[in-house]
Amino acid sequence: MNLLEAFKQTKFQLSGHGNRNIKVLKDAFEQMDEQQESDMYGSGKIIEEFQDKLASYLGKESAVFFPSGTMAQQIALRIWCDRKGLKKVAYHPLSHLEIHEEDGLKKIHHIEPVLLADKNSVIELEDIVGMDEDVSCILLELPQREIGGQLPSYETLESISTYCREKGIKLHLDGARLYEITPYYKKTAAEISSLFDSVYVSFYKGIGGIAGAILAGEKDFIEESKSWKRRYGGDLISLYPYIVSADYYFDKRSQNMDEYYEGAKTLARLFNECEGISTLPLEPVSNMFHVHFNHSKEKMEQILIQLYEETGIGLTHYLNKTGEHSCYYEVSVGDRLAAIPIEELRNVFNLLNEEIKK
Amino acid sequence: MNLLEAFKQTKFQLSGHGNRNIKVLKDAFEQMDEQQESDMYGSGKIIEEFQDKLASYLGKESAVFFPSGTMAQQIALRIWCDRKGLKKVAYHPLSHLEIHEEDGLKKIHHIEPVLLADKNSVIELEDIVGMDEDVSCILLELPQREIGGQLPSYETLESISTYCREKGIKLHLDGARLYEITPYYKKTAAEISSLFDSVYVSFYKGIGGIAGAILAGEKDFIEESKSWKRRYGGDLISLYPYIVSADYYFDKRSQNMDEYYEGAKTLARLFNECEGISTLPLEPVSNMFHVHFNHSKEKMEQILIQLYEETGIGLTHYLNKTGEHSCYYEVSVGDRLAAIPIEELRNVFNLLNEEIKK
């Protein structure tokens, strides 16, 4: 049996909200009126009301629903570049745009990115002040997912925002996990967003919906983004399968971020008590973190499969190899964690620690 | 009361399959197993099986599901242009790419279109032979929607295909309404597609699904299109809401195209018997046609509203003004037509004719 198969047979799982299956859609639609009309190419009650709701939640004038964040963010950067007449933006070396989008920003828009900060660090004010070229827009991803979900201090965000406004550089928030950082910063999503000119949020990470994104900003910016949405083929005749589910899970989970954050801190402590295991960050600043093992991927897979069989609790379905004797995986705490009795949780980590020490 | 409101209160409607409401989704998902796993970024049983099914239906080696035809077709044209090293394509002046996509092809890909044929005619072999510049790809839309859904003869298609192959020009099929033309040509979708190098089909016109498209062609072409799908932000984590519904309505309706085609011919005859009304084409070659009134939009709205109230049968919810004394609308025959008793249908047209003659 491999790790994925063993994981699928566990009764409890530490990470996430639940399986990504058709029940996610069925639950969201169960109470929906069958006669409710579809949205039509960006118009209609379903899409307009949700856009207004999220604009308000994010404290922005206007918002538009996109099928994906990839589409929304490329478009946001394109608009800021067009306005300044400079096809240059700056972001982190491990930004989603740089490593997960097949160079869409470069191949579609011919926008050149300036990479800010070392890839293992978050972007600080000095990185921005130290740039030796002008850019139209800086994108900050909060939290920085690929390094375990790290964050700069809130004061840093404020000083970056002030600096960018002075220098005529637009600031865009990659808020794929924006809800998830509100407990750490002790700020609302609108307060954080107020430091940015445009903001994107996702509905299938902390919120646990099916797919989809919102881009928010000033009205003229959002109107312009709608033309690009059509150019991209993102202005679907019906986006309601994603909107209805986004709305349903937003209402269900956007209030739970404190619980996920506390759960992540508890879980990270349990991991860090084990020999040869550490989390990044050591103390999470959102619901997410990375678990690093100072053991080979092969050894850890063996240990984890046995652990899943003994306890019925699954930690992860995959491990990424980083060296001969190191590997890691990502944790995003959601609804699942709270379903596990605390004694069983402690038992898993005791067994894990014992097995590793053998 | 306006035309839209009056239309919404009718019991029967001549056009379409039914309302675009949430029931469309609920019906498609009713029998689906809740535990069925989502597709994940283009992988998984749900998406792979449907892609294979449509590749086979279209007689192509490979197929990929896209959120929209806009995205699929721009990408197809881009790939053909890249392969030939020439950013020029040819299509009809009223192609979807030219009039409904906010110039995505030009603004995203910098591809220059050569417009073929007069806008009121379909593309014939002579239009292609007469082109005074080389292109990478020619796109044919079958049927040509904006002129009532007209078609060239099948022999023309064959000769265009032969000509393009000889000249090293790729031929792409905009098959948004491909199923709908199989009865007229008396050919399968695969037979028609065999004349083309790449083909796109839609799932929310004749099929009546929610949204989504398939692009089909040779394996390496389709693999390349997947990179562009990711660049566009179309490689969603979950496309199953569209795939499951596309599959459900494909099974339900792809066999009904003869019925829709016959219905369209019957309906067109009834329209053409009325004074000052004609259809384009005079005899439909698919399930669609345009209804042209030689009367002002205002007069026709008044007549139609009264007709809807008297008969409970709705013809259209809108009219497009084309002149002081002319207007038109589009008919796409679907499931709805067969639900109307033939006597009631005749009665509507008798009343319509009488009112117009007054």
Side-chain angles (χ1 to χ4, degrees), chain A residues 109-124:
Chain A
H109 299 290
H110 310 284
I111 292 173
E112 184 192 323
V114 175
L115 304 181
L116 287 176
D118 177 80
K119 71 180 174 57
N120 295 310
S121 312
V122 297
I123 295 169
E124 300 286 350

Side-chain angles (χ1 to χ4, degrees), chain A residues 30 33 53 72 84 105 134 143 151 155 220 277 279:
Chain A
E30 198 177 355
D33 176 9
K53 177 174 172 172
K84 190 161 177 168
L105 190 74
D134 192 19
L151 285 175
E155 292 65 40
D220 59 341
I277 306 184
T279 68

Side-chain angles (χ1 to χ4, degrees), chain A residues 8 19-27 29-41 46 67-68 70-71 74 78 100-104 107-108 110 204 210-211 227-228 230-234 236-242 244, chain B residues 8 19-27 29-41 46 67-68 70-71 74 78 100-104 107-108 110 204 210-211 227-228 230-234 236-242 244:
Chain A
K8 282 189 178 173
N19 290 328
R20 287 190 61 86
N21 58 23
I22 283 180
K23 188 173 190 302
V24 174
L25 180 140
K26 288 203 173 193
D27 286 350
F29 277 84
E30 198 177 355
Q31 301 300 322
M32 286 294 290
D33 176 9
E34 283 195 339
Q35 301 309 317
Q36 166 88 48
E37 283 180 18
S38 171
D39 53 308
M40 281 288 279
Y41 297 115
I46 284 186
S68 73
T70 296
M71 195 185 288
Q74 287 178 13
R78 170 63 183 258
H100 289 307
E101 303 182 8
E102 293 260 356
D103 280 340
K107 301 218 174 195
I108 292 178
H110 310 284
Y204 63 91
I210 300 175
S227 293
W228 278 106
R230 172 152 287 222
R231 277 177 203 132
Y232 265 67
L236 305 191
I237 184 170
S238 296
L239 280 167
Y240 75 79
Y242 299 130
V244 168
Chain B
K8 282 189 179 175
N19 291 326
R20 287 190 61 87
N21 59 24
I22 282 180
K23 187 172 190 304
V24 174
L25 180 140
K26 288 202 173 192
D27 286 350
F29 277 84
E30 197 177 354
Q31 301 301 322
M32 286 293 291
D33 176 8
E34 284 196 338
Q35 300 309 315
Q36 166 89 48
E37 282 179 20
S38 171
D39 53 308
M40 281 287 280
Y41 297 114
I46 284 186
S68 75
T70 296
M71 195 184 289
Q74 287 178 13
R78 170 63 184 259
H100 290 308
E101 302 181 7
E102 293 260 356
D103 280 339
K107 301 218 174 196
I108 291 177
H110 311 285
Y204 64 91
I210 301 176
S227 292
W228 279 106
R230 172 152 288 221
R231 277 176 203 131
Y232 264 67
L236 306 191
I237 184 169
S238 295
L239 281 166
Y240 75 80
Y242 299 132
V244 167

Side-chain angles (χ1 to χ4, degrees), chain B residues 127-246:
Chain B
D127 298 307
I128 291 170
V129 174
M131 272 197 303
D132 51 12
E133 41 194 337
D134 191 19
V135 297
S136 296
C137 178
I138 293 171
L139 175 147
L140 293 186
E141 182 186 342
L142 304 178
Q144 198 70 52
R145 186 235 179 137
E146 299 290 343
I147 50 173
Q150 299 182 49
L151 285 175
S153 72
Y154 198 73
E155 293 64 39
T156 296
L157 288 187
E158 289 176 316
S159 60
I160 289 175
S161 177
T162 303
Y163 180 83
C164 286
R165 276 174 198 175
E166 279 168 7
K167 294 289 180 186
I169 297 172
K170 296 294 180 184
L171 197 57
H172 171 80
L173 171 55
D174 179 342
R177 293 165 183 80
L178 172 59
Y179 326 96
E180 294 90 320
I181 61 171
T182 54
Y184 172 74
Y185 280 144
K186 295 190 175 64
K187 300 283 178 188
T188 64
E191 284 167 335
I192 300 168
S193 298
S194 72
L195 304 174
F196 295 83
D197 298 288
S198 53
V199 49
Y200 135 72
V201 291
S202 173
F203 298 100
Y204 64 91
K205 284 108 188 180
I207 298 298
I210 301 176
I214 276 279
L215 180 66
E218 287 184 4
K219 197 168 181 340
D220 59 341
F221 171 85
I222 294 303
E223 286 308 307
E224 203 172 336
S225 80
K226 290 179 185 174
S227 292
W228 279 106
K229 180 180 165 190
R230 172 152 288 221
R231 277 176 203 131
Y232 264 67
D235 188 23
L236 306 191
I237 184 169
S238 295
L239 281 166
Y240 75 80
Y242 299 132
I243 298 167
V244 167
S245 50

Side-chain angles (χ1 to χ4, degrees), chain B residues 287-303:
Chain B
N287 73 324
M288 78 165 287
F289 57 88
H290 286 179
V291 179
H292 285 267
F293 300 99
N294 290 331
H295 306 283
S296 73
K297 182 180 171 188
E298 294 68 29
K299 177 183 173 180
M300 284 313 306
E301 280 179 345
Q302 220 173 355
I303 290 175

